[in-house]
Amino acid sequence: MKTIWIIGGPGSGKGTQCERITAKYGLLHISSGDLLREEVASGSARGASLQEIMSQGLFVPTDTVLQLINERMEKAKKEGSTKTGFLIDGYPRELEQGLLFEKNVCPVDLIIFFDVSNETLKKRLLGRAAVSNRADDNAEAIERRIQIFNTKNGEIIKHYENKVVRINAEGNVDDIFAEVSKALDPLLA
């Protein structure tokens, strides 16, 4: 079983590409953002505290996110809902998270980084904000999320440089997926 991290700024197209990757390769898509939003929607005490953090555009504590991801992976292994492996979307957000993931969950086989300019990220997120009801899609939170992402992501890219495939995600969805496939085919063939 392979483990692939998908990283990229907020609005870089991770979710869209992950849908295509899971359809083609049979990996189980685990989105840290979706797990967090599900926990908030559950109405649990943990969810209420996550809502407060996320509405400010801040990062949720690493141990909480890692716990949610690990629970989902263990459940999938028990159920046999993936033969290929895992597509971890939106995690790690900083180097320490990646190191903890590898120490406590499993090693990462490949990291796909969707590289998009700050201007494009802002434009996409403000467009999404117009139709979504996400607490973290407001101009101030968007600005903060992009700034934090750029700082933290650089450390991940540097540390894992031999496992990172950088993909220019400014173009259209099909062209981007063609590049993703070139990166994944040798690993999953």
Side-chain angles (χ1 to χ4, degrees):
M1 292 237 249
K2 301 293 182 188
T3 299
I4 297 150
W5 293 343
I6 300 294
I7 59 176
S12 62
K14 296 183 300 286
T16 302
Q17 291 299 323
C18 284
E19 285 176 21
R20 290 176 160 224
I21 293 167
T22 55
K24 180 173 179 178
Y25 297 99
L27 293 158
L28 179 68
H29 177 212
I30 300 176
S31 160
S32 60
D34 288 349
L35 290 176
L36 292 167
R37 285 184 286 278
E38 285 170 24
E39 191 66 28
V40 168
S42 77
S44 70
R46 178 165 72 174
S49 88
L50 293 176
Q51 171 66 36
E52 178 62 29
I53 293 167
M54 290 162 59
S55 66
Q56 296 173 39
L58 302 173
F59 284 160
V60 170
T62 298
D63 55 345
T64 305
V65 181
L66 199 54
Q67 186 179 16
L68 289 168
I69 292 171
N70 203 14
E71 287 167 9
R72 185 64 52 94
M73 289 174 77
E74 289 305 316
K75 184 177 177 214
K77 287 176 191 170
K78 270 187 206 128
E79 296 170 347
S81 52
T82 179
K83 301 278 182 270
T84 321
F86 302 97
L87 191 62
I88 310 296
D89 167 11
Y91 189 96
R93 296 214 171 180
E94 53 191 18
L95 180 55
E96 185 63 25
Q97 290 180 339
L99 300 173
L100 284 170
F101 184 99
E102 289 201 299
K103 180 181 175 211
N104 299 328
V105 181
C106 67
V108 63
D109 295 290
L110 184 72
I111 302 167
I112 295 178
F113 168 37
F114 291 116
D115 200 1
V116 180
S117 74
N118 291 349
E119 281 313 303
T120 300
L121 293 176
K122 273 184 243 177
K123 203 180 329 169
R124 289 179 183 175
L125 288 173
L126 289 169
R128 182 172 82 184
V131 295
S132 82
N133 195 18
R134 285 180 50 171
D136 56 353
D137 277 350
N138 61 70
E140 195 179 313
I142 286 169
E143 203 54 60
R144 189 177 310 120
R145 288 165 63 208
I146 291 171
Q147 187 181 0
I148 294 170
F149 170 78
N150 287 331
T151 304
K152 301 292 188 183
N153 192 60
E155 298 167 3
I156 296 169
I157 300 297
K158 188 175 181 208
H159 181 82
Y160 289 103
E161 61 189 338
N162 61 336
K163 291 184 178 186
V164 173
V165 175
R166 183 184 298 255
I167 293 178
N168 178 335
E170 295 277 349
N172 76 51
V173 173
D174 293 332
D175 293 343
I176 295 165
F177 188 66
E179 292 303 309
V180 169
S181 294
K182 281 185 207 167
L184 290 177
D185 284 347
L187 181 69
L188 300 172

